[in-house]
């Protein structure tokens, strides 16, 4: 670990919550950026957990955004999906302020948008839960049957301009439908083995890379990660061709939908 990273980790660790919250948000983020600059270490994981547990409800919105962003910087060492989620939170907390005006998010965004990771020839699936892909669900428009998007409790169709906001609290996660309006997914296809579906192109890309890989590195995948919960038939080598064909069909649907 470089000395700058060690010092930043130690500085953050030794601060009281009050001191952390009193920091200028940009300075706080700078410290976290330095602390994670060396990649994954036990220290940064501890720091991530520390940042997550700071009670910041009464702090200024930008400080809360800085904390969420710090968590995203730690999370991306393990999971692009988690980091995307936390970055979204930071953007919401920043409100009218553009996050990029206060914090340097370029490298983080680039890392989150990276293609599925291959490490030493083995596909390393993102260890996020499948629900993290549900931040943006590609769905069938309830009005015109075209391709629509449900995100942040709003469903919007770019074709017929249908738009609806959900004002309830009941949600459904990890099922083959959108979380709020329970709309059918655009990317879904039946095979003789079972249904193959994805929430959006990011999810589809991860699925395809997973199924196509003959070698998989799943050391990081424990508990509720999306790949640990795939049905056994989807993981079986003997079904690879059938599942890949289904995924490629979904790839064509995704390309035609032009939602990216
Ligand atoms: Zn429509």
């Amino acid at each position: 670990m470089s000395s700058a990273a060690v010092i930043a980790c130690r500085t953050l660790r030794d601060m009281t919550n009050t001191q952390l919250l009193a920091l200028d948000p940009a300075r706080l983020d700078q410290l976290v950026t330095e602390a994670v600059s060396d990649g994954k270490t036990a220290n940064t994981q501890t720091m991530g957990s520390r940042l997550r547990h700071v009670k910041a409800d009464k702090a200024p919105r930008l400080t809360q955004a800085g904390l969420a962003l710090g968590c995203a910087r730690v999370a991306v060492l393990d999971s692009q999906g988690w980091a995307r989620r936390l970055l979204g939170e930071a953007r919401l907390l920043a409100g009218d302020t553009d996050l990029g005006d206060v914090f340097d998010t370029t490298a983080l965004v680039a890392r989150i948008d990276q293609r599925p990771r291959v490490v030493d020839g083995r596909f390393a699936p993102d260890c996020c839960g499948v629900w993290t892909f549900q931040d943006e669900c590609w769905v069938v428009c309830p009005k015109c049957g075209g391709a629509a998007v449900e995100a942040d409790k709003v469903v919007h169709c770019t074709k017929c301009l249908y738009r609806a906001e959900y004002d309830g609290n009941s949600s459904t996660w990890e099922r083959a439908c959108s979380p709020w309006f329970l709309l059918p997914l655009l990317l879904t296809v039946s095979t003789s083995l079972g249904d193959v579906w994805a929430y959006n192109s990011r999810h589809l890309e991860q699925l395809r890379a997973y199924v196509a890989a003959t070698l998989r590195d799943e050391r990081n995948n424990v508990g509720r990660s999306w790949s640990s919960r795939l049905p056994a038939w989807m993981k079986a080598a003997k079904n690879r061709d059938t599942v890949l064909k289904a995924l490629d069909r979904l790839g064509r649907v995704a390309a035609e939908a032009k939602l990216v």
Side-chain angles (χ1 to χ4, degrees), residues 140-148 156-163:
V140 178
C141 171
K143 192 174 168 201
C144 74
H156 179 239
C157 175
T158 47
K159 197 173 154 202
C160 73
L161 303 183
Y162 172 81
R163 189 177 190 283

Side-chain angles (χ1 to χ4, degrees), residues 206-227:
Q206 284 278 335
L207 267 177
R208 200 190 183 291
Y210 185 93
V211 174
T214 49
L215 293 172
R216 295 166 186 151
D217 177 351
E218 305 207 58
R219 273 171 300 179
N220 276 335
N221 278 357
V222 286
R224 293 170 68 83
S225 74
W226 67 270
S227 62

